């Protein structure tokens, strides 16, 4: 799994665009879309509509993924002593 961003293509409201995301964020984004039964392009379009104008789409997707998992999982690192 690469730690370097890779350019990925998306279609948002009928227009092609690309975002550069690391493999881990792209896979997590795909997993969230599948979990919700939502096409990845539709989920990306929703994130795009809700993001601040000065925040890039790739950054907005990373924050979305991070927020999704932070809200979903309790902080087990503290209880494990990590």
């Amino acid at each position: 799994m690469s730690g370097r961003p890779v350019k990925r293509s998306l279609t948002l409201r009928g227009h092609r665009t690309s975002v550069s995301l690391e493999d881990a964020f792209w896979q997590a984004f795909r997993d969230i879309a599948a979990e919700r039964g939502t096409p990845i392009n539709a989920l990306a379009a929703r994130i795009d509509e809700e993001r601040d104008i000065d925040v890039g789409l790739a950054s907005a997707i990373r924050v979305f993924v991070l927020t999704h998992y932070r809200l979903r999982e309790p902080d087990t690192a503290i209880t494990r002593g990590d």
Side-chain angles (χ1 to χ4, degrees):
M1 191 178 300
S2 171
R4 301 185 83 182
V6 175
K7 194 168 276 202
R8 318 282 183 166
S9 295
L10 293 167
T11 302
L12 306 179
R13 295 172 299 285
H15 299 282
R16 297 290 289 168
T17 192
S18 62
V19 294
S20 293
L21 289 172
E22 298 78 5
D23 287 339
F25 278 105
W26 182 253
Q27 187 58 54
F29 186 48
R30 289 175 50 105
D31 291 346
I32 293 166
E35 183 180 296
R36 294 179 176 201
T38 303
I40 197 163
N41 290 322
L43 186 54
R46 194 183 106 219
I47 292 167
D48 185 47
E49 289 170 1
E50 295 176 2
R51 71 184 166 101
D52 289 335
I53 193 97
D54 58 338
V55 175
L57 180 57
S59 293
I61 290 172
R62 285 185 193 94
V63 170
F64 171 83
V65 168
L66 178 62
T67 301
H68 173 83
Y69 287 108
R70 288 186 79 192
L71 293 174
R72 183 173 169 191
E73 297 293 326
D75 188 359
T76 56
I78 293 171
T79 58
R80 287 193 324 244
D82 293 346

Coordinates of all heavy atoms in Angstrom, one line a residue:
M1 N 0.8 -1.2 0.0 CA 0.0 0.0 0.0 C 0.9 1.2 0.0 O 1.8 1.4 0.8 CB -0.9 0.0 1.2 CG -2.0 1.0 1.2 SD -3.1 1.0 2.6 CE -3.8 -0.6 2.5
S2 N 0.7 2.1 -0.9 CA 1.5 3.3 -1.1 C 1.1 4.4 -0.1 O -0.1 4.6 0.1 CB 1.4 3.8 -2.5 OG 2.0 5.1 -2.7
G3 N 2.1 5.1 0.4 CA 1.8 6.3 1.2 C 1.8 7.6 0.4 O 1.4 8.6 0.9
R4 N 2.1 7.5 -0.9 CA 2.1 8.6 -1.7 C 0.7 8.8 -2.4 O 0.1 7.8 -2.7 CB 3.1 8.5 -2.8 CG 4.5 8.3 -2.2 CD 5.5 8.3 -3.3 NE 5.8 9.7 -3.6 CZ 6.6 10.1 -4.5 NH1 7.2 9.2 -5.3 NH2 6.8 11.4 -4.7
P5 N 0.3 10.0 -2.5 CA -1.0 10.2 -3.2 C -1.0 9.8 -4.6 O 0.0 9.9 -5.3 CB -1.2 11.8 -3.1 CG -0.3 12.2 -2.0 CD 0.8 11.3 -2.0
V6 N -2.1 9.2 -5.1 CA -2.3 8.7 -6.4 C -3.5 9.5 -7.0 O -4.6 9.6 -6.3 CB -2.6 7.2 -6.5 CG1 -2.9 6.7 -7.9 CG2 -1.4 6.5 -5.9
K7 N -3.4 10.0 -8.2 CA -4.5 10.7 -8.8 C -5.6 9.7 -9.2 O -5.4 8.7 -9.8 CB -4.0 11.4 -10.1 CG -5.0 12.4 -10.6 CD -4.4 13.3 -11.6 CE -3.7 14.4 -10.9 NZ -3.4 15.6 -11.6
R8 N -6.9 10.0 -8.8 CA -8.0 9.2 -9.0 C -9.1 10.0 -9.8 O -9.2 11.2 -9.5 CB -8.7 8.7 -7.7 CG -7.7 8.2 -6.6 CD -7.2 6.9 -6.9 NE -6.3 6.5 -5.7 CZ -5.9 5.3 -5.5 NH1 -6.3 4.3 -6.3 NH2 -5.1 5.0 -4.5
S9 N -9.8 9.4 -10.6 CA -10.8 10.1 -11.4 C -12.2 9.9 -10.8 O -12.5 8.8 -10.3 CB -10.9 9.6 -12.8 OG -9.7 9.9 -13.5
L10 N -13.0 10.9 -10.8 CA -14.4 10.9 -10.3 C -15.2 11.7 -11.2 O -14.7 12.5 -12.0 CB -14.5 11.6 -8.9 CG -13.8 10.9 -7.7 CD1 -13.7 11.8 -6.5 CD2 -14.5 9.6 -7.4
T11 N -16.5 11.4 -11.2 CA -17.5 12.2 -12.0 C -18.4 12.8 -11.0 O -19.2 12.1 -10.3 CB -18.3 11.3 -13.0 OG1 -17.3 10.7 -13.9 CG2 -19.2 12.1 -13.8
L12 N -18.4 14.1 -11.0 CA -19.3 14.9 -10.1 C -20.3 15.7 -10.9 O -19.9 16.6 -11.7 CB -18.5 15.9 -9.2 CG -17.3 15.3 -8.4 CD1 -16.6 16.3 -7.7 CD2 -17.8 14.2 -7.5
R13 N -21.6 15.3 -10.7 CA -22.7 16.0 -11.5 C -22.4 16.1 -13.0 O -22.6 17.1 -13.6 CB -22.9 17.3 -10.8 CG -23.5 17.2 -9.4 CD -23.6 18.6 -8.7 NE -22.3 19.3 -8.6 CZ -21.3 19.0 -7.7 NH1 -21.5 18.0 -6.9 NH2 -20.2 19.7 -7.6
G14 N -21.9 15.0 -13.5 CA -21.7 14.9 -15.0 C -20.3 15.4 -15.4 O -20.1 15.4 -16.6
H15 N -19.5 15.9 -14.6 CA -18.2 16.5 -14.9 C -17.1 15.6 -14.3 O -17.1 15.3 -13.1 CB -18.1 17.9 -14.5 CG -19.1 18.8 -15.1 ND1 -19.0 19.3 -16.3 CD2 -20.3 19.3 -14.5 CE1 -20.1 20.1 -16.6 NE2 -20.9 20.1 -15.5
R16 N -16.1 15.3 -15.2 CA -14.9 14.5 -14.7 C -14.0 15.4 -13.9 O -13.8 16.6 -14.3 CB -14.2 13.9 -15.9 CG -15.0 12.9 -16.7 CD -15.2 11.6 -16.0 NE -14.0 10.8 -15.9 CZ -13.9 9.8 -15.1 NH1 -15.0 9.4 -14.4 NH2 -12.8 9.1 -15.0
T17 N -13.5 14.9 -12.8 CA -12.5 15.6 -12.0 C -11.6 14.6 -11.4 O -11.8 13.4 -11.5 CB -13.1 16.5 -10.9 OG1 -12.2 17.3 -10.3 CG2 -13.8 15.6 -9.8
S18 N -10.5 15.0 -10.9 CA -9.6 14.1 -10.3 C -9.2 14.6 -8.9 O -9.2 15.8 -8.6 CB -8.3 13.9 -11.1 OG -7.6 15.0 -11.3
V19 N -8.8 13.6 -8.0 CA -8.3 13.9 -6.7 C -7.1 13.1 -6.5 O -7.0 12.0 -7.0 CB -9.4 13.7 -5.6 CG1 -10.6 14.6 -5.7 CG2 -9.8 12.2 -5.6
S20 N -6.2 13.6 -5.7 CA -5.0 12.8 -5.3 C -5.1 12.4 -3.9 O -5.2 13.2 -3.0 CB -3.7 13.7 -5.5 OG -3.5 14.0 -6.9
L21 N -5.3 11.1 -3.7 CA -5.5 10.5 -2.4 C -4.5 9.3 -2.2 O -4.2 8.6 -3.2 CB -6.9 10.0 -2.2 CG -8.0 11.0 -2.1 CD1 -9.4 10.3 -2.1 CD2 -7.8 11.8 -0.8
E22 N -4.1 9.1 -1.0 CA -3.3 8.0 -0.6 C -4.2 6.7 -0.7 O -5.4 6.8 -0.5 CB -2.7 8.1 0.8 CG -1.8 9.3 0.9 CD -2.5 10.7 1.1 OE1 -3.7 10.7 1.1 OE2 -1.8 11.7 1.1
D23 N -3.5 5.6 -1.0 CA -4.3 4.3 -1.1 C -5.2 4.1 0.1 O -6.3 3.6 0.0 CB -3.3 3.1 -1.3 CG -2.7 3.1 -2.6 OD1 -3.2 3.7 -3.6 OD2 -1.7 2.4 -2.8
A24 N -4.7 4.3 1.3 CA -5.4 4.0 2.5 C -6.7 4.9 2.6 O -7.8 4.4 2.9 CB -4.6 4.3 3.8
F25 N -6.6 6.2 2.2 CA -7.8 7.0 2.2 C -8.8 6.6 1.1 O -10.0 6.6 1.3 CB -7.4 8.5 2.1 CG -7.0 9.1 3.4 CD1 -5.7 9.4 3.7 CD2 -8.0 9.4 4.4 CE1 -5.3 9.9 4.9 CE2 -7.6 10.0 5.6 CZ -6.2 10.2 5.8
W26 N -8.2 6.3 -0.1 CA -9.1 5.9 -1.2 C -9.9 4.6 -0.8 O -11.1 4.5 -1.1 CB -8.3 5.7 -2.4 CG -9.1 5.3 -3.6 CD1 -9.2 4.1 -4.2 CD2 -10.0 6.2 -4.3 NE1 -10.1 4.1 -5.3 CE2 -10.6 5.4 -5.4 CE3 -10.4 7.5 -4.2 CZ2 -11.5 5.9 -6.2 CZ3 -11.3 8.0 -5.1 CH2 -11.9 7.2 -6.1
Q27 N -9.2 3.6 -0.3 CA -9.8 2.4 0.1 C -10.9 2.6 1.2 O -12.0 2.1 1.1 CB -8.8 1.3 0.6 CG -9.5 0.0 0.8 CD -10.2 -0.6 -0.5 OE1 -9.6 -0.7 -1.5 NE2 -11.4 -0.9 -0.3
A28 N -10.5 3.4 2.2 CA -11.5 3.7 3.2 C -12.7 4.5 2.7 O -13.9 4.2 3.0 CB -10.9 4.6 4.3
F29 N -12.5 5.4 1.7 CA -13.6 6.1 1.1 C -14.5 5.2 0.3 O -15.7 5.2 0.4 CB -13.0 7.2 0.2 CG -14.0 8.1 -0.4 CD1 -15.0 8.7 0.3 CD2 -13.9 8.4 -1.8 CE1 -15.9 9.6 -0.3 CE2 -14.8 9.3 -2.4 CZ -15.8 9.8 -1.6
R30 N -13.9 4.2 -0.4 CA -14.7 3.2 -1.1 C -15.5 2.3 -0.2 O -16.6 2.0 -0.4 CB -13.8 2.4 -2.0 CG -13.2 3.1 -3.2 CD -12.2 2.3 -4.0 NE -12.7 1.0 -4.3 CZ -13.2 0.6 -5.5 NH1 -13.1 1.4 -6.5 NH2 -13.6 -0.6 -5.7
D31 N -14.8 1.9 0.9 CA -15.5 1.1 1.9 C -16.7 1.8 2.5 O -17.8 1.2 2.7 CB -14.5 0.7 3.0 CG -13.5 -0.2 2.6 OD1 -13.6 -0.8 1.5 OD2 -12.5 -0.4 3.4
I32 N -16.6 3.1 2.8 CA -17.7 3.9 3.4 C -18.8 4.0 2.4 O -20.0 3.8 2.8 CB -17.2 5.3 3.8 CG1 -16.2 5.2 5.0 CG2 -18.4 6.2 4.2 CD1 -15.4 6.5 5.3
A33 N -18.5 4.2 1.1 CA -19.5 4.3 0.1 C -20.3 3.0 0.0 O -21.5 3.0 -0.1 CB -18.9 4.7 -1.2
A34 N -19.5 1.9 0.0 CA -20.1 0.6 -0.1 C -21.0 0.3 1.1 O -22.1 -0.3 1.0 CB -19.1 -0.5 -0.3
E35 N -20.5 0.6 2.3 CA -21.2 0.4 3.5 C -22.6 1.1 3.5 O -23.6 0.7 4.0 CB -20.4 0.9 4.7 CG -20.9 0.8 6.1 CD -19.9 1.3 7.0 OE1 -18.7 0.8 7.1 OE2 -20.2 2.3 7.7
R36 N -22.6 2.3 2.9 CA -23.8 3.1 2.8 C -24.7 2.8 1.6 O -25.8 3.3 1.5 CB -23.4 4.6 2.7 CG -22.8 5.1 4.0 CD -22.4 6.6 3.9 NE -21.9 7.1 5.1 CZ -21.8 8.3 5.5 NH1 -22.3 9.2 4.6 NH2 -21.3 8.7 6.6
G37 N -24.1 1.9 0.7 CA -24.9 1.6 -0.5 C -25.0 2.8 -1.4 O -26.0 2.9 -2.1
T38 N -24.0 3.6 -1.4 CA -24.0 4.9 -2.2 C -22.8 4.8 -3.2 O -21.7 4.4 -2.8 CB -23.7 6.1 -1.3 OG1 -24.7 6.1 -0.3 CG2 -23.7 7.4 -2.1
P39 N -23.1 5.1 -4.5 CA -22.0 5.1 -5.4 C -20.9 6.1 -5.0 O -21.3 7.2 -4.4 CB -22.7 5.6 -6.7 CG -24.1 5.2 -6.6 CD -24.4 5.4 -5.1
I40 N -19.7 5.8 -5.2 CA -18.6 6.6 -4.8 C -18.7 8.0 -5.4 O -18.4 9.0 -4.7 CB -17.2 6.0 -5.0 CG1 -16.1 6.7 -4.2 CG2 -16.9 6.0 -6.5 CD1 -14.9 5.9 -4.1
N41 N -19.1 8.1 -6.6 CA -19.3 9.5 -7.2 C -20.3 10.3 -6.6 O -20.2 11.5 -6.4 CB -19.6 9.3 -8.7 CG -18.4 8.8 -9.5 OD1 -17.2 9.2 -9.2 ND2 -18.6 8.0 -10.5
A42 N -21.4 9.7 -6.1 CA -22.5 10.4 -5.4 C -22.0 10.9 -4.1 O -22.3 12.0 -3.7 CB -23.7 9.5 -5.3
L43 N -21.2 10.0 -3.4 CA -20.7 10.4 -2.1 C -19.7 11.6 -2.2 O -19.7 12.6 -1.5 CB -20.1 9.2 -1.4 CG -19.6 9.5 0.1 CD1 -20.7 10.0 1.0 CD2 -19.0 8.2 0.6
A44 N -18.9 11.5 -3.3 CA -17.9 12.6 -3.5 C -18.6 13.9 -3.9 O -18.2 14.9 -3.5 CB -16.9 12.2 -4.6
A45 N -19.7 13.8 -4.6 CA -20.5 15.0 -5.0 C -21.1 15.6 -3.8 O -21.1 16.9 -3.7 CB -21.6 14.6 -6.0
R46 N -21.6 14.8 -2.8 CA -22.1 15.4 -1.6 C -21.0 16.1 -0.8 O -21.3 17.2 -0.3 CB -22.8 14.3 -0.8 CG -23.7 14.9 0.3 CD -24.2 13.8 1.2 NE -23.5 13.9 2.5 CZ -23.1 12.9 3.2 NH1 -23.4 11.7 2.9 NH2 -22.5 13.1 4.3
I47 N -19.9 15.5 -0.7 CA -18.8 16.1 0.0 C -18.4 17.4 -0.6 O -18.1 18.4 0.0 CB -17.6 15.1 0.2 CG1 -18.0 13.9 1.1 CG2 -16.3 15.8 0.7 CD1 -17.0 12.8 1.0
D48 N -18.3 17.3 -2.0 CA -18.0 18.5 -2.7 C -18.9 19.7 -2.5 O -18.5 20.8 -2.3 CB -17.9 18.2 -4.2 CG -17.4 19.3 -5.1 OD1 -16.4 19.9 -4.8 OD2 -18.1 19.6 -6.1
E49 N -20.2 19.4 -2.4 CA -21.2 20.4 -2.2 C -21.1 21.0 -0.8 O -21.4 22.2 -0.6 CB -22.6 19.8 -2.4 CG -23.0 19.5 -3.8 CD -24.3 18.7 -4.0 OE1 -24.9 18.4 -2.9 OE2 -24.6 18.3 -5.1
E50 N -20.7 20.2 0.2 CA -20.7 20.6 1.6 C -19.4 21.2 2.0 O -19.4 21.9 3.1 CB -21.1 19.4 2.5 CG -22.5 18.9 2.3 CD -22.8 17.7 3.1 OE1 -21.9 17.2 3.9 OE2 -23.9 17.2 3.0
R51 N -18.4 21.1 1.2 CA -17.0 21.6 1.6 C -17.0 23.2 1.5 O -17.7 23.7 0.7 CB -15.9 21.0 0.9 CG -15.8 21.4 -0.6 CD -14.7 20.6 -1.3 NE -14.9 20.8 -2.7 CZ -14.1 21.6 -3.4 NH1 -13.2 22.3 -2.9 NH2 -14.3 21.7 -4.7
D52 N -16.1 23.7 2.3 CA -15.8 25.2 2.2 C -15.1 25.4 0.9 O -14.3 24.6 0.4 CB -14.9 25.7 3.3 CG -15.7 25.7 4.7 OD1 -16.9 25.8 4.6 OD2 -15.0 25.6 5.7
I53 N -15.3 26.6 0.3 CA -14.7 26.9 -1.0 C -13.2 26.9 -1.0 O -12.6 26.6 -2.0 CB -15.2 28.3 -1.5 CG1 -14.9 28.5 -3.0 CG2 -14.7 29.4 -0.7 CD1 -16.0 28.1 -3.9
D54 N -12.6 27.2 0.2 CA -11.1 27.2 0.3 C -10.5 25.9 0.6 O -9.3 25.8 0.8 CB -10.7 28.3 1.2 CG -11.2 28.1 2.6 OD1 -12.3 27.4 2.8 OD2 -10.7 28.7 3.6
V55 N -11.3 24.8 0.7 CA -10.8 23.5 1.0 C -10.9 22.6 -0.2 O -11.9 22.5 -0.9 CB -11.6 22.8 2.2 CG1 -11.2 21.4 2.4 CG2 -11.5 23.6 3.4
G56 N -9.8 22.0 -0.6 CA -9.7 21.2 -1.8 C -10.6 19.9 -1.6 O -10.8 19.5 -0.4
L57 N -11.0 19.3 -2.7 CA -11.8 18.1 -2.6 C -11.1 17.0 -1.9 O -11.7 16.2 -1.1 CB -12.3 17.7 -4.0 CG -13.2 16.5 -4.0 CD1 -14.5 16.6 -3.2 CD2 -13.6 16.2 -5.5
A58 N -9.8 16.8 -2.3 CA -9.1 15.7 -1.7 C -9.0 15.8 -0.1 O -9.2 14.9 0.6 CB -7.7 15.6 -2.3
S59 N -8.7 17.1 0.3 CA -8.7 17.3 1.7 C -10.0 17.1 2.4 O -10.1 16.5 3.5 CB -8.2 18.8 2.0 OG -6.9 18.9 1.6
A60 N -11.1 17.5 1.7 CA -12.4 17.3 2.3 C -12.8 15.8 2.4 O -13.4 15.4 3.4 CB -13.5 18.0 1.4
I61 N -12.3 15.0 1.4 CA -12.5 13.6 1.5 C -11.7 12.9 2.6 O -12.2 12.1 3.4 CB -12.2 12.9 0.1 CG1 -13.2 13.3 -0.9 CG2 -12.1 11.4 0.3 CD1 -12.9 12.8 -2.3
R62 N -10.5 13.4 2.8 CA -9.7 12.9 3.9 C -10.3 13.2 5.3 O -10.4 12.3 6.2 CB -8.3 13.5 3.9 CG -7.4 12.9 2.8 CD -6.0 13.5 3.0 NE -5.2 13.2 1.8 CZ -5.0 14.0 0.8 NH1 -5.6 15.2 0.8 NH2 -4.3 13.7 -0.2
V63 N -10.8 14.4 5.4 CA -11.5 14.8 6.7 C -12.8 14.0 6.9 O -13.1 13.5 8.0 CB -11.8 16.3 6.7 CG1 -12.7 16.7 7.9 CG2 -10.5 17.1 6.8
F64 N -13.5 13.8 5.8 CA -14.7 13.0 5.8 C -14.4 11.6 6.3 O -15.1 11.0 7.2 CB -15.4 12.9 4.5 CG -16.5 11.9 4.4 CD1 -17.8 12.3 4.8 CD2 -16.3 10.7 3.9 CE1 -18.8 11.4 4.7 CE2 -17.4 9.8 3.8 CZ -18.6 10.1 4.2
V65 N -13.4 10.9 5.8 CA -13.0 9.6 6.2 C -12.6 9.5 7.6 O -13.0 8.7 8.4 CB -11.9 9.0 5.2 CG1 -11.3 7.8 5.8 CG2 -12.4 8.8 3.8
L66 N -11.7 10.5 8.0 CA -11.3 10.5 9.4 C -12.4 10.7 10.3 O -12.5 10.0 11.4 CB -10.3 11.7 9.5 CG -9.7 11.9 10.9 CD1 -8.9 10.7 11.4 CD2 -8.8 13.1 11.0
T67 N -13.3 11.6 10.0 CA -14.5 11.9 10.9 C -15.4 10.6 11.0 O -15.8 10.3 12.1 CB -15.3 13.1 10.4 OG1 -14.4 14.2 10.3 CG2 -16.5 13.4 11.2
H68 N -15.6 10.0 9.9 CA -16.4 8.8 9.9 C -15.9 7.7 10.9 O -16.6 7.2 11.7 CB -16.4 8.2 8.5 CG -17.1 6.8 8.4 ND1 -18.4 6.7 8.3 CD2 -16.6 5.6 8.4 CE1 -18.7 5.4 8.2 NE2 -17.6 4.7 8.3
Y69 N -14.6 7.5 10.8 CA -14.0 6.4 11.7 C -13.8 6.9 13.1 O -13.9 6.1 14.0 CB -12.7 5.9 11.1 CG -12.9 5.0 9.9 CD1 -12.7 5.4 8.6 CD2 -13.5 3.8 10.1 CE1 -12.9 4.6 7.5 CE2 -13.8 2.9 9.0 CZ -13.5 3.4 7.7 OH -13.8 2.6 6.6
R70 N -13.6 8.2 13.3 CA -13.5 8.7 14.7 C -14.8 8.6 15.4 O -14.9 8.3 16.6 CB -13.0 10.1 14.7 CG -11.5 10.2 14.3 CD -11.0 11.6 14.5 NE -10.7 11.8 15.9 CZ -10.5 13.0 16.4 NH1 -10.4 14.1 15.6 NH2 -10.3 13.1 17.7
L71 N -15.9 8.9 14.7 CA -17.2 8.8 15.3 C -17.7 7.4 15.5 O -18.5 7.1 16.4 CB -18.3 9.6 14.4 CG -18.1 11.1 14.4 CD1 -19.1 11.7 13.4 CD2 -18.3 11.7 15.7
R72 N -17.2 6.5 14.7 CA -17.6 5.1 14.7 C -16.9 4.3 15.8 O -17.5 3.4 16.4 CB -17.3 4.5 13.3 CG -17.8 3.1 13.1 CD -17.6 2.7 11.7 NE -17.7 1.3 11.6 CZ -17.4 0.7 10.5 NH1 -16.9 1.3 9.5 NH2 -17.6 -0.6 10.4
E73 N -15.6 4.5 16.0 CA -14.8 3.7 16.9 C -14.5 4.4 18.1 O -14.1 5.6 18.1 CB -13.5 3.3 16.2 CG -13.7 2.4 14.9 CD -14.2 1.1 15.2 OE1 -13.9 0.5 16.3 OE2 -15.0 0.5 14.4
P74 N -14.7 3.8 19.3 CA -14.2 4.4 20.5 C -12.7 4.5 20.5 O -12.1 3.7 19.8 CB -14.7 3.5 21.6 CG -14.9 2.2 20.9 CD -15.3 2.5 19.5
D75 N -12.2 5.3 21.3 CA -10.7 5.5 21.4 C -10.1 4.3 22.2 O -10.0 4.4 23.4 CB -10.4 6.8 22.0 CG -8.9 7.1 22.0 OD1 -8.1 6.2 21.4 OD2 -8.4 8.1 22.4
T76 N -9.8 3.3 21.5 CA -9.3 2.1 22.1 C -7.8 2.2 22.4 O -7.3 1.4 23.2 CB -9.5 0.8 21.2 OG1 -8.9 1.0 20.0 CG2 -11.0 0.5 21.1
A77 N -7.1 3.2 21.8 CA -5.7 3.3 22.0 C -5.4 3.7 23.5 O -4.5 3.2 24.1 CB -5.1 4.4 21.1
I78 N -6.3 4.4 24.1 CA -6.1 4.8 25.5 C -6.3 3.6 26.4 O -5.5 3.3 27.3 CB -7.1 5.9 25.9 CG1 -6.7 7.2 25.1 CG2 -7.1 6.2 27.4 CD1 -7.7 8.3 25.3
T79 N -7.3 2.8 26.1 CA -7.6 1.7 27.0 C -6.6 0.6 26.8 O -6.3 -0.2 27.7 CB -9.0 1.1 26.7 OG1 -9.2 0.7 25.4 CG2 -10.1 2.1 27.1
R80 N -6.0 0.5 25.6 CA -4.9 -0.5 25.4 C -3.6 -0.1 25.9 O -2.7 -0.9 26.0 CB -4.8 -0.8 23.8 CG -5.9 -1.6 23.3 CD -5.6 -2.0 21.9 NE -4.8 -1.1 21.1 CZ -5.2 -0.5 20.0 NH1 -6.3 -0.7 19.5 NH2 -4.4 0.4 19.4
G81 N -3.4 1.2 26.1 CA -2.2 1.7 26.6 C -1.2 2.0 25.5 O 0.0 2.1 25.7
D82 N -1.7 2.2 24.2 CA -0.8 2.5 23.1 C -0.3 3.9 23.2 O -0.9 4.8 23.7 CB -1.5 2.3 21.8 CG -1.8 0.9 21.5 OD1 -1.3 0.0 22.2 OD2 -2.6 0.6 20.6

